[in-house]
Amino acid sequence: MEINTGDTAWVLASAALVLFMTPGLALFYGGMVRSKSVLNMMMMSFIALGTISVSWVLWGYSEAFGESWNGLIGNPFQHFGLDGLLGERVFGTIPAAAFVAFQSVFAIIAVALVSGAIADRAKFTAWTVFTVVWATIVYFPVAHWVFAFDGFAADKGGWIANQLKAIDFAGGTAIHINAGAAGLALAFVLGKRVGFGKDPMRPHNLTLVMIGAGILWFGWFGFNAGSALGANGTAAVAWVNTLAATGAAMLGWLVVEKSRDGHPTSLGAASGVVAGLVAITPACSALTPVGSVVLGVVAGAACAYAVGLKFRFGFDDSLDVVGVHLVGGLIGTIGVGFLGSASAPAGVDGLFYGGGVDQLWRQVVGALAVLVFSFVVTYVIGTVIQRTIGFRLETEAEVAGIDLEEHAETSYDINGLASGRFGTGSGAAVPTAATKTHEGASA
Amino acid sequence: MKLVTAIIKPHQLDEVKEALEAYGISGMTVSEASGYGRQRGHSEVYRGAEYTVDFVPKVRVEVLVDDIDAGSVADVILKSAQTGRIGDGKIWTVPVEDVVRVRTGERGVDAL
């Protein structure tokens, strides 16, 4: 195939849009925690930009899209260091490297999403190790199952995409169910925050949350419409469905809040937006715009209830990765089996459009396979990290604030009254008498 | 000399300030405060979880005055800060031993 410049431009631009989602997620999560842990929360997302970028180009891409071993995992050595993918190599109508770039940012945000479940209480070094281990053992293989189609990047791809033929256009299973189940597992491994269910843990800055939600929505057009891997009709339909479902989900969440709690909240609006985006992710190529509105309303309303599950069952999924991403991902992925329409680009009728249960069971099997695999393996990874280098922060440090303990920083110096002096511990950046003299001389 | 301290609702600050200026007060100190009285706290809802917030935001206004003005200043604050709804705040007056103007070193009533 020839390289199509329009397709290539759109995929590269989409990759940049999706990259921007991770800083957006950092704001979305950062505003929701208390002021003593906002920097750590944002760093948990940012560190994934470092660790996953590097692991992706070294072995992650190859593990996800290299030649398949029984549909379960790609050969991590085939394209180690992206060997053989530069130059004239073309996938579909875009350069191989453009596909590598687009999929890299999916891996980054999938890992970052998990962090919301264990806010305020994870040792940063342990989290950093976790990002690499989890990506390698859980995310890269699951991305292979879902995103590696036979004959695209390699002759043989993953089992969900090619044997099961579940529809997951942009990653409802691989990203959201995966991250949600992993978050649930880590919430169990690390346990509840000190004071969970007793102390109010109010979001410290909802304006950050709103900005973050806005950036996520913006970036998500790259996530969903970019997954068409071309500048074409499928991309445009995915774009429109992403708009329709997300708007509807926000309304759904707010209607539940207004009737149940008496007030439509800004956090509810931001959360409804994300719930809608999550739900439409697997479905955006398979639904009509009207179907997308229905899916969005259901996802928004259901997630507004699902975020209460943690109090009922007593697990501290701090920022509702389960309630929004796992539940939203399940609704979207399984929703394809009900609401899929042959008039949409995916061309498959769901149960409500006379297609019977043929697609529905495939969706259910795909969703549950990822859920169970991710939960079990993540639980094991988390437990091993906890027993070896320790995952949970010490209680005193957690109470004092993880920003100070893990990063030696505080987020806000509002009144400028924190007087002090330079220390001598870290060396390089400390002004000395000599540098002052130098400044004086040059002035 | 007396120190008149008032804890008021934040959105009443402008009215209190203007009323005190109209009375002829030459300065005041304002700071943000948190607390509760009979009002107790208020409730907030985040993702369906209701929290009672005990300490609600208040503004503390402090005015140093001559003895003869103390009663009137308290009245001025009372009139301008009162909304009649719960949470309007409190005013109290305490004697002050000495006041010094830092710039000039003036003391006592001259420093007001």
Side-chain angles (χ1 to χ4, degrees):
Chain A
M1 289 278 275
E2 288 283 299
I3 286 177
N4 179 300
T5 54
D7 290 346
T8 306
W10 171 237
V11 170
L12 288 174
S14 291
L17 282 169
V18 179
L19 180 93
F20 195 36
M21 289 169 66
T22 297
L25 183 73
L27 287 164
F28 182 71
Y29 279 171
M32 263 190 274
V33 296
R34 292 164 290 177
S35 57
K36 64 181 179 181
S37 32
V38 51
L39 295 176
N40 174 257
M41 196 68 249
M42 297 183 82
M43 277 294 283
M44 287 173 90
S45 285
F46 264 74
I47 196 68
L49 290 159
T51 54
I52 307 306
S53 295
V54 172
S55 6
W56 182 256
V57 300
L58 290 182
W59 68 88
Y61 169 82
S62 191
E63 202 185 325
F65 294 102
E67 200 58 46
S68 187
W69 181 75
N70 291 332
L72 296 176
I73 189 168
N75 177 356
F77 306 106
Q78 184 187 2
H79 297 295
F80 189 90
L82 304 183
D83 186 43
L85 292 174
L86 307 178
E88 299 304 306
R89 190 77 190 270
V90 177
F91 294 162
T93 59
I94 61 175
F99 182 69
V100 171
F102 185 68
Q103 282 291 340
S104 71
V105 286
F106 279 58
I108 291 167
I109 194 159
V111 175
L113 283 171
V114 180
S115 66
I118 52 167
D120 307 349
R121 62 191 186 284
K123 284 184 183 172
F124 189 67
T125 310
W127 168 254
T128 305
V129 170
F130 174 84
T131 61
V132 177
V133 175
W134 188 78
T136 303
I137 303 180
V138 180
Y139 180 78
F140 298 150
V142 172
H144 179 74
W145 300 357
V146 176
F147 293 134
F149 286 90
D150 286 350
F152 187 75
D155 290 340
K156 294 293 291 175
W159 70 275
I160 289 181
N162 302 292
Q163 275 79 55
L164 183 64
K165 297 188 190 303
I167 294 172
D168 183 1
F169 191 65
T173 56
I175 312 274
H176 297 289
I177 292 174
N178 197 353
L184 182 61
L186 284 193
F188 284 126
V189 172
L190 270 75
K192 302 170 201 173
R193 285 171 292 179
V194 177
F196 174 74
K198 186 166 66 71
D199 300 343
M201 297 179 180
R202 291 190 290 168
H204 88 285
N205 190 339
L206 287 171
T207 51
L208 292 185
V209 174
M210 299 295 270
I211 294 168
I215 292 173
L216 283 170
W217 196 349
F218 176 70
W220 223 294
F221 286 116
F223 202 89
N224 286 0
S227 288
L229 296 177
N232 52 35
T234 303
V237 170
W239 202 107
V240 170
N241 284 343
T242 301
L243 180 77
T246 306
M250 180 173 74
L251 298 179
W253 190 301
L254 290 178
V255 166
V256 168
E257 283 197 331
K258 178 69 180 168
S259 61
R260 182 187 62 188
D261 312 325
H263 301 279
T265 69
S266 62
L267 181 59
S271 308
V273 162
V274 175
L277 289 165
V278 169
I280 197 62
T281 292
C284 60
S285 70
L287 271 52
T288 65
V290 173
S292 300
V293 168
V294 173
L295 182 73
V297 168
V298 170
C303 291
Y305 284 103
V307 292
L309 293 174
K310 64 181 179 185
F311 297 113
R312 182 164 306 167
F313 294 106
F315 61 94
D316 183 6
D317 168 21
S318 314
L319 309 183
D320 300 309
V321 183
V322 175
V324 175
H325 294 275
L326 179 56
V327 172
L330 285 170
I331 289 171
T333 304
I334 296 171
V336 171
F338 289 104
L339 291 164
S341 163
S343 63
V348 173
D349 274 329
L351 184 62
F352 295 165
Y353 285 77
V357 296
D358 184 57
Q359 193 60 40
L360 182 59
W361 75 263
R362 298 174 192 277
Q363 300 300 115
V364 171
V365 170
L368 292 182
V370 173
L371 197 169
V372 172
F373 174 76
S374 175
F375 180 86
V376 171
V377 178
T378 306
Y379 194 91
V380 172
I381 295 170
T383 304
V384 168
I385 291 178
Q386 173 67 13
R387 299 238 173 112
T388 51
I389 58 175
F391 213 150
R392 177 76 187 248
L393 198 63
E394 289 76 19
T395 303
E396 299 77 35
E398 184 185 325
V399 171
I402 192 169
D403 285 0
L404 198 56
E405 174 67 21
E406 291 293 272
H407 306 287
E409 292 175 300
T410 42
S411 49
Y412 303 104
D413 181 16
I414 303 287
N415 56 23
L417 291 179
S419 175
R421 66 204 66 76
F422 278 108
T424 52
S426 57
V430 178
T432 63
T435 55
K436 280 176 193 152
T437 307
H438 178 74
E439 280 165 11
S442 63
Chain B
M1 292 159 294
K2 295 279 200 314
L3 173 66
V4 181
T5 302
I7 304 294
I8 61 171
K9 286 183 171 169
H11 60 260
Q12 292 301 111
L13 177 61
D14 278 345
E15 279 189 55
V16 170
K17 185 196 75 180
E18 280 161 26
L20 285 171
E21 281 171 349
Y23 178 81
I25 289 300
S26 54
M28 70 187 76
T29 302
V30 171
S31 44
E32 291 177 18
S34 303
Y36 66 84
R38 287 191 194 171
Q39 176 191 11
R40 301 298 299 185
H42 61 237
S43 64
E44 298 182 2
V45 183
Y46 297 99
R47 282 183 170 168
E50 185 171 329
Y51 298 115
T52 301
V53 178
D54 289 329
F55 298 126
V56 293
K58 296 288 171 186
V59 166
R60 176 171 50 224
V61 181
E62 291 167 303
V63 192
L64 278 168
V65 293
D66 200 353
D67 288 349
I68 55 164
D69 289 321
S72 321
V73 163
D75 283 343
V76 165
I77 297 175
L78 172 65
K79 285 204 185 75
S80 53
Q82 196 171 56
T83 67
R85 286 188 294 277
I86 199 159
D88 269 354
K90 289 222 178 3
I91 306 168
W92 60 89
T93 305
V94 293
V96 172
E97 211 162 278
D98 196 10
V99 177
V100 183
R101 173 171 283 122
V102 173
R103 176 169 59 84
T104 59
E106 289 166 290
R107 284 182 174 269
V109 178
D110 291 337
L112 292 176

PDB file of all heavy atoms in Angstrom, chain A residues 32 200 202-203 260-261 271 319-320, chain B residues 44-49 51-53:
ATOM      1  N   MET A  32      -9.116  16.449  42.426  1.00  0.00           N
ATOM      2  CA  MET A  32     -10.037  15.668  43.261  1.00  0.00           C
ATOM      3  C   MET A  32      -9.451  15.241  44.604  1.00  0.00           C
ATOM      4  O   MET A  32     -10.185  14.839  45.498  1.00  0.00           O
ATOM      5  CB  MET A  32     -10.490  14.419  42.494  1.00  0.00           C
ATOM      6  CG  MET A  32     -11.834  14.589  41.814  1.00  0.00           C
ATOM      7  SD  MET A  32     -12.439  13.033  41.179  1.00  0.00           S
ATOM      8  CE  MET A  32     -11.662  12.983  39.586  1.00  0.00           C
ATOM      9  N   PRO A 200     -13.991  13.711  56.023  1.00  0.00           N
ATOM     10  CA  PRO A 200     -14.349  14.191  54.698  1.00  0.00           C
ATOM     11  C   PRO A 200     -13.078  14.364  53.874  1.00  0.00           C
ATOM     12  O   PRO A 200     -12.099  14.929  54.337  1.00  0.00           O
ATOM     13  CB  PRO A 200     -15.007  15.552  54.962  1.00  0.00           C
ATOM     14  CG  PRO A 200     -14.645  15.932  56.332  1.00  0.00           C
ATOM     15  CD  PRO A 200     -14.178  14.719  57.064  1.00  0.00           C
ATOM     16  N   ARG A 202     -12.657  15.973  50.823  1.00  0.00           N
ATOM     17  CA  ARG A 202     -13.239  16.782  49.745  1.00  0.00           C
ATOM     18  C   ARG A 202     -12.224  17.028  48.646  1.00  0.00           C
ATOM     19  O   ARG A 202     -11.046  17.217  48.925  1.00  0.00           O
ATOM     20  CB  ARG A 202     -13.666  18.145  50.288  1.00  0.00           C
ATOM     21  CG  ARG A 202     -14.832  18.119  51.210  1.00  0.00           C
ATOM     22  CD  ARG A 202     -15.299  19.552  51.471  1.00  0.00           C
ATOM     23  NE  ARG A 202     -14.351  20.295  52.287  1.00  0.00           N
ATOM     24  CZ  ARG A 202     -14.410  21.611  52.471  1.00  0.00           C
ATOM     25  NH1 ARG A 202     -15.341  22.313  51.857  1.00  0.00           N
ATOM     26  NH2 ARG A 202     -13.537  22.219  53.238  1.00  0.00           N
ATOM     27  N   PRO A 203     -12.673  17.097  47.401  1.00  0.00           N
ATOM     28  CA  PRO A 203     -11.784  17.557  46.324  1.00  0.00           C
ATOM     29  C   PRO A 203     -11.295  18.962  46.671  1.00  0.00           C
ATOM     30  O   PRO A 203     -12.086  19.800  47.099  1.00  0.00           O
ATOM     31  CB  PRO A 203     -12.705  17.608  45.103  1.00  0.00           C
ATOM     32  CG  PRO A 203     -13.863  16.731  45.442  1.00  0.00           C
ATOM     33  CD  PRO A 203     -14.025  16.803  46.915  1.00  0.00           C
ATOM     34  N   ARG A 260     -31.566  12.882  43.129  1.00  0.00           N
ATOM     35  CA  ARG A 260     -31.174  12.129  44.320  1.00  0.00           C
ATOM     36  C   ARG A 260     -30.608  13.030  45.416  1.00  0.00           C
ATOM     37  O   ARG A 260     -30.938  12.889  46.581  1.00  0.00           O
ATOM     38  CB  ARG A 260     -30.126  11.072  43.932  1.00  0.00           C
ATOM     39  CG  ARG A 260     -29.664  10.180  45.082  1.00  0.00           C
ATOM     40  CD  ARG A 260     -28.517   9.290  44.634  1.00  0.00           C
ATOM     41  NE  ARG A 260     -27.351  10.085  44.219  1.00  0.00           N
ATOM     42  CZ  ARG A 260     -26.263   9.582  43.638  1.00  0.00           C
ATOM     43  NH1 ARG A 260     -26.200   8.284  43.377  1.00  0.00           N
ATOM     44  NH2 ARG A 260     -25.254  10.362  43.306  1.00  0.00           N
ATOM     45  N   ASP A 261     -29.718  13.964  45.021  1.00  0.00           N
ATOM     46  CA  ASP A 261     -29.011  14.770  46.015  1.00  0.00           C
ATOM     47  C   ASP A 261     -29.529  16.203  46.096  1.00  0.00           C
ATOM     48  O   ASP A 261     -29.144  16.953  46.986  1.00  0.00           O
ATOM     49  CB  ASP A 261     -27.509  14.831  45.694  1.00  0.00           C
ATOM     50  CG  ASP A 261     -26.925  13.453  45.389  1.00  0.00           C
ATOM     51  OD1 ASP A 261     -27.383  12.482  46.030  1.00  0.00           O
ATOM     52  OD2 ASP A 261     -26.044  13.355  44.523  1.00  0.00           O
ATOM     53  N   SER A 271     -17.548  14.286  35.840  1.00  0.00           N
ATOM     54  CA  SER A 271     -17.540  12.824  35.911  1.00  0.00           C
ATOM     55  C   SER A 271     -18.438  12.223  34.839  1.00  0.00           C
ATOM     56  O   SER A 271     -18.103  11.189  34.248  1.00  0.00           O
ATOM     57  CB  SER A 271     -18.019  12.363  37.293  1.00  0.00           C
ATOM     58  OG  SER A 271     -17.297  13.012  38.318  1.00  0.00           O
ATOM     59  N   LEU A 319     -10.636   7.673  43.595  1.00  0.00           N
ATOM     60  CA  LEU A 319     -11.184   8.602  42.611  1.00  0.00           C
ATOM     61  C   LEU A 319     -12.108   7.895  41.623  1.00  0.00           C
ATOM     62  O   LEU A 319     -12.328   8.357  40.507  1.00  0.00           O
ATOM     63  CB  LEU A 319     -10.042   9.326  41.883  1.00  0.00           C
ATOM     64  CG  LEU A 319      -8.998   9.978  42.802  1.00  0.00           C
ATOM     65  CD1 LEU A 319      -7.956  10.726  41.985  1.00  0.00           C
ATOM     66  CD2 LEU A 319      -9.645  10.911  43.817  1.00  0.00           C
ATOM     67  N   ASP A 320     -12.633   6.751  42.044  1.00  0.00           N
ATOM     68  CA  ASP A 320     -13.674   6.047  41.295  1.00  0.00           C
ATOM     69  C   ASP A 320     -13.241   5.548  39.920  1.00  0.00           C
ATOM     70  O   ASP A 320     -13.950   5.711  38.919  1.00  0.00           O
ATOM     71  CB  ASP A 320     -14.914   6.952  41.171  1.00  0.00           C
ATOM     72  CG  ASP A 320     -15.464   7.328  42.543  1.00  0.00           C
ATOM     73  OD1 ASP A 320     -15.667   6.407  43.351  1.00  0.00           O
ATOM     74  OD2 ASP A 320     -15.640   8.523  42.805  1.00  0.00           O
TER      75      ASP A 320
ATOM     76  N   GLU B  44     -21.963  19.354  51.995  1.00  0.00           N
ATOM     77  CA  GLU B  44     -21.583  19.396  50.587  1.00  0.00           C
ATOM     78  C   GLU B  44     -21.678  17.976  50.046  1.00  0.00           C
ATOM     79  O   GLU B  44     -21.517  17.015  50.792  1.00  0.00           O
ATOM     80  CB  GLU B  44     -20.146  19.928  50.431  1.00  0.00           C
ATOM     81  CG  GLU B  44     -19.985  21.360  50.945  1.00  0.00           C
ATOM     82  CD  GLU B  44     -18.588  21.927  50.761  1.00  0.00           C
ATOM     83  OE1 GLU B  44     -17.728  21.219  50.192  1.00  0.00           O
ATOM     84  OE2 GLU B  44     -18.366  23.070  51.184  1.00  0.00           O
ATOM     85  N   VAL B  45     -21.943  17.853  48.746  1.00  0.00           N
ATOM     86  CA  VAL B  45     -22.105  16.529  48.145  1.00  0.00           C
ATOM     87  C   VAL B  45     -21.105  16.371  47.001  1.00  0.00           C
ATOM     88  O   VAL B  45     -21.053  17.199  46.098  1.00  0.00           O
ATOM     89  CB  VAL B  45     -23.535  16.338  47.596  1.00  0.00           C
ATOM     90  CG1 VAL B  45     -23.700  14.930  47.040  1.00  0.00           C
ATOM     91  CG2 VAL B  45     -24.558  16.595  48.686  1.00  0.00           C
ATOM     92  N   TYR B  46     -20.284  15.328  47.095  1.00  0.00           N
ATOM     93  CA  TYR B  46     -19.339  15.026  46.019  1.00  0.00           C
ATOM     94  C   TYR B  46     -19.558  13.612  45.526  1.00  0.00           C
ATOM     95  O   TYR B  46     -19.396  12.665  46.278  1.00  0.00           O
ATOM     96  CB  TYR B  46     -17.892  15.203  46.508  1.00  0.00           C
ATOM     97  CG  TYR B  46     -17.597  16.631  46.909  1.00  0.00           C
ATOM     98  CD1 TYR B  46     -17.621  17.018  48.244  1.00  0.00           C
ATOM     99  CD2 TYR B  46     -17.349  17.601  45.946  1.00  0.00           C
ATOM    100  CE1 TYR B  46     -17.383  18.330  48.608  1.00  0.00           C
ATOM    101  CE2 TYR B  46     -17.111  18.909  46.298  1.00  0.00           C
ATOM    102  CZ  TYR B  46     -17.127  19.272  47.626  1.00  0.00           C
ATOM    103  OH  TYR B  46     -16.905  20.574  47.978  1.00  0.00           O
ATOM    104  N   ARG B  47     -19.927  13.487  44.260  1.00  0.00           N
ATOM    105  CA  ARG B  47     -20.245  12.183  43.673  1.00  0.00           C
ATOM    106  C   ARG B  47     -21.188  11.401  44.588  1.00  0.00           C
ATOM    107  O   ARG B  47     -20.974  10.228  44.883  1.00  0.00           O
ATOM    108  CB  ARG B  47     -18.970  11.387  43.393  1.00  0.00           C
ATOM    109  CG  ARG B  47     -18.260  11.880  42.125  1.00  0.00           C
ATOM    110  CD  ARG B  47     -17.032  11.054  41.802  1.00  0.00           C
ATOM    111  NE  ARG B  47     -16.526  11.414  40.468  1.00  0.00           N
ATOM    112  CZ  ARG B  47     -15.348  11.041  39.993  1.00  0.00           C
ATOM    113  NH1 ARG B  47     -14.552  10.300  40.726  1.00  0.00           N
ATOM    114  NH2 ARG B  47     -14.954  11.385  38.792  1.00  0.00           N
ATOM    115  N   GLY B  48     -22.207  12.115  45.075  1.00  0.00           N
ATOM    116  CA  GLY B  48     -23.250  11.450  45.847  1.00  0.00           C
ATOM    117  C   GLY B  48     -22.917  11.223  47.306  1.00  0.00           C
ATOM    118  O   GLY B  48     -23.775  10.827  48.084  1.00  0.00           O
ATOM    119  N   ALA B  49     -21.666  11.461  47.717  1.00  0.00           N
ATOM    120  CA  ALA B  49     -21.283  11.272  49.115  1.00  0.00           C
ATOM    121  C   ALA B  49     -21.421  12.616  49.835  1.00  0.00           C
ATOM    122  O   ALA B  49     -20.812  13.598  49.434  1.00  0.00           O
ATOM    123  CB  ALA B  49     -19.856  10.760  49.211  1.00  0.00           C
ATOM    124  N   TYR B  51     -20.873  15.222  52.737  1.00  0.00           N
ATOM    125  CA  TYR B  51     -19.947  15.548  53.810  1.00  0.00           C
ATOM    126  C   TYR B  51     -20.482  16.732  54.590  1.00  0.00           C
ATOM    127  O   TYR B  51     -21.004  17.675  54.011  1.00  0.00           O
ATOM    128  CB  TYR B  51     -18.581  15.952  53.246  1.00  0.00           C
ATOM    129  CG  TYR B  51     -17.885  14.890  52.464  1.00  0.00           C
ATOM    130  CD1 TYR B  51     -17.649  15.049  51.104  1.00  0.00           C
ATOM    131  CD2 TYR B  51     -17.454  13.725  53.089  1.00  0.00           C
ATOM    132  CE1 TYR B  51     -16.997  14.069  50.373  1.00  0.00           C
ATOM    133  CE2 TYR B  51     -16.807  12.747  52.371  1.00  0.00           C
ATOM    134  CZ  TYR B  51     -16.576  12.919  51.012  1.00  0.00           C
ATOM    135  OH  TYR B  51     -15.932  11.951  50.300  1.00  0.00           O
ATOM    136  N   THR B  52     -20.350  16.692  55.922  1.00  0.00           N
ATOM    137  CA  THR B  52     -20.634  17.872  56.721  1.00  0.00           C
ATOM    138  C   THR B  52     -19.334  18.628  56.907  1.00  0.00           C
ATOM    139  O   THR B  52     -18.349  18.087  57.385  1.00  0.00           O
ATOM    140  CB  THR B  52     -21.209  17.468  58.087  1.00  0.00           C
ATOM    141  OG1 THR B  52     -22.403  16.730  57.841  1.00  0.00           O
ATOM    142  CG2 THR B  52     -21.538  18.706  58.904  1.00  0.00           C
ATOM    143  N   VAL B  53     -19.347  19.869  56.481  1.00  0.00           N
ATOM    144  CA  VAL B  53     -18.160  20.709  56.641  1.00  0.00           C
ATOM    145  C   VAL B  53     -18.365  21.541  57.895  1.00  0.00           C
ATOM    146  O   VAL B  53     -19.279  22.365  57.961  1.00  0.00           O
ATOM    147  CB  VAL B  53     -17.971  21.601  55.402  1.00  0.00           C
ATOM    148  CG1 VAL B  53     -16.766  22.521  55.585  1.00  0.00           C
ATOM    149  CG2 VAL B  53     -17.794  20.746  54.161  1.00  0.00           C
TER     150      VAL B  53
END
